[in-house]
């Protein structure tokens, strides 16, 4: 077995303190001088430990007279990036990703119908209303269309949040992040990145969202799950109009 390096042991110790809440987000770690003395290690070893934690999104090293390592909450985007890189190196396709999103999403919606609070329903309803507002104002420019797409992402995130299962929420958001990164690269590869694709499907999407909210409000978990799975597979077919289903997931151009 490989013996952990001193920097890894220090990173493990600090990581444990952060995730247990012994050092709160926004708080500063002790000064470098004090930590070198307390831990009995060299500055390069300590800085290597900081780099490990920084790569994990657990600290940010601030510069300046009052700088130093500041604790931050773990960010799902770090995990999403690693998942995306893993999928890309494994040759995962767009169809593979969208299938996973549909199945995860359907499970989240079933739990949503069983557990959603009044506050959750209000947030879902408000999101759909904002989508209608943006659609009615027109999505003729790339910026307007991007705003509408962003709202669909918000709706999916609300589903994940209010299904009240933290593991499913993390998985759903990570998949959404990977899909979003792939979408950005695909747009950049177009001959005209600012061109707006066919948007005739948008009213149908919003109608599906409205129906889902009604099913969730009624507590009809089985119907909500069936409806949302069908919606997500239908949404995948819209995606395939502009991108090949067998295209490899790509986070980098």
């Amino acid at each position: 077995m490989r013996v952990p390096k001193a920097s890894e042991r220090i990173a493990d110790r600090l990581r444990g303190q952060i995730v247990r809440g012994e050092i709160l987000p926004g708080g500063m770690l002790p000064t470098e001088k004090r930590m070198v003395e307390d831990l009995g290690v060299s500055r390069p070893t300590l800085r290597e430990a900081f780099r490990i934690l920084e790569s994990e999104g657990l600290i940010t090293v601030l510069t300046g007279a009052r700088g130093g390592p500041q604790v931050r909450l773990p960010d799902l985007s770090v995990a999403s990036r690693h998942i995306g890189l893993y999928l890309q190196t494994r040759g995962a396709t767009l169809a593979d990703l969208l299938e996973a999103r549909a199945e995860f999403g359907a499970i989240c919606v079933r739990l949503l119908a069983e557990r959603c609070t009044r506050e959750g329903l209000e947030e879902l309803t408000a999101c759909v209303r904002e989508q209608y507002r943006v659609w009615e104002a027109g999505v003729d420019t790339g910026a307007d269309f991007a705003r509408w797409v962003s709202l669909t992402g918000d709706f999916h995130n609300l589903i994940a949040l209010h299904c009240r299962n933290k593991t499913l929420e993390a998985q759903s958001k990570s998949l959404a992040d990977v899909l979003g990164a792939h979408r950005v690269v695909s747009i950049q590869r177009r001959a005209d990145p600012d061109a707006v694709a066919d948007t005739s499907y948008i009213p149908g999407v919003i109608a599906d969202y409205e129906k889902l909210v009604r099913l969730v409000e009624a507590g009809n978990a089985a119907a909500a799950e069936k409806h949302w799975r069908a919606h997500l597979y239908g949404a995948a077919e819209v995606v395939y109009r502009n991108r090949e289903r067998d295209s490899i997931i790509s986070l980098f151009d």
Side-chain angles (χ1 to χ4, degrees):
M1 294 179 63
R2 185 180 71 86
V3 178
K5 295 167 61 177
S7 58
E8 294 171 340
R9 294 197 300 271
I10 294 169
D12 285 343
R13 176 177 172 179
L14 293 172
R15 186 187 300 110
Q17 293 177 318
I18 292 170
V19 299
R20 288 193 300 270
E22 295 172 11
I23 309 174
L24 297 178
M28 303 295 292
L29 295 181
T31 64
E32 186 177 277
K33 180 179 179 181
R34 177 179 167 187
M35 294 186 75
V36 164
E37 294 173 351
D38 290 347
L39 297 172
V41 297
S42 65
R43 277 189 166 83
T45 296
L46 182 62
R47 289 172 183 173
E48 186 176 349
F50 290 162
R51 284 193 291 271
I52 293 171
L53 296 175
E54 194 168 22
S55 72
E56 296 172 351
L58 292 175
I59 66 169
T60 299
V61 179
L62 304 178
T63 59
R66 297 187 178 183
Q70 184 180 52
V71 174
R72 54 183 294 186
L73 287 173
D75 189 343
L76 260 181
S77 64
V78 176
S80 300
R81 183 178 179 83
H82 286 295
I83 292 171
L85 291 173
Y86 174 81
L87 291 174
Q88 186 170 346
T89 58
R90 295 278 292 182
T93 65
L94 180 60
D96 186 280
L97 180 60
L98 291 177
E99 179 182 46
R101 186 183 74 152
E103 296 303 322
F104 270 123
I107 295 170
C108 287
V109 157
R110 174 168 54 81
L111 296 178
L112 179 73
E114 295 171 350
R115 303 174 178 179
C116 191
T117 62
R118 175 54 55 183
E119 177 187 4
L121 276 170
E122 290 173 354
E123 290 182 8
L124 287 163
T125 300
C127 186
V128 174
R129 286 175 180 165
E130 181 63 10
Q131 288 175 43
Y132 257 131
R133 188 194 67 76
V134 171
W135 165 247
E136 289 175 349
V139 289
D140 301 324
T141 69
D144 292 331
F145 181 67
R147 171 60 179 156
W148 184 82
V149 171
S150 176
L151 286 167
T152 67
D154 292 345
F155 191 79
H156 285 264
N157 286 339
L158 287 171
I159 290 172
L161 172 64
H162 291 292
C163 81
R164 297 166 70 186
N165 182 296
K166 297 186 186 304
T167 304
L168 282 174
E169 180 185 358
Q171 290 172 322
S172 297
K173 288 185 175 180
S174 291
L175 285 175
D177 285 347
V178 173
L179 181 59
H182 176 72
R183 183 187 297 116
V184 168
V185 171
S186 297
I187 291 172
Q188 290 172 345
R189 288 175 176 170
R190 292 179 187 169
D192 182 4
D194 295 324
V196 177
D198 174 36
T199 59
S200 60
Y201 64 90
I202 290 180
V205 170
I206 298 176
D208 276 356
Y209 288 1
E210 285 189 315
K211 181 177 179 179
L212 178 66
V213 173
R214 291 196 300 271
L215 290 170
V216 169
E217 187 171 21
N220 193 335
E225 180 180 5
K226 181 179 179 180
H227 168 69
W228 198 239
R229 181 177 282 109
H231 166 79
L232 290 174
Y233 277 111
E237 293 301 321
V238 174
V239 173
Y240 299 145
R241 296 176 190 172
N242 300 306
R243 290 181 285 278
E244 294 293 332
R245 69 178 65 222
D246 293 327
S247 61
I248 303 301
I249 293 299
S250 178
L251 273 68
F252 297 99
D253 197 357

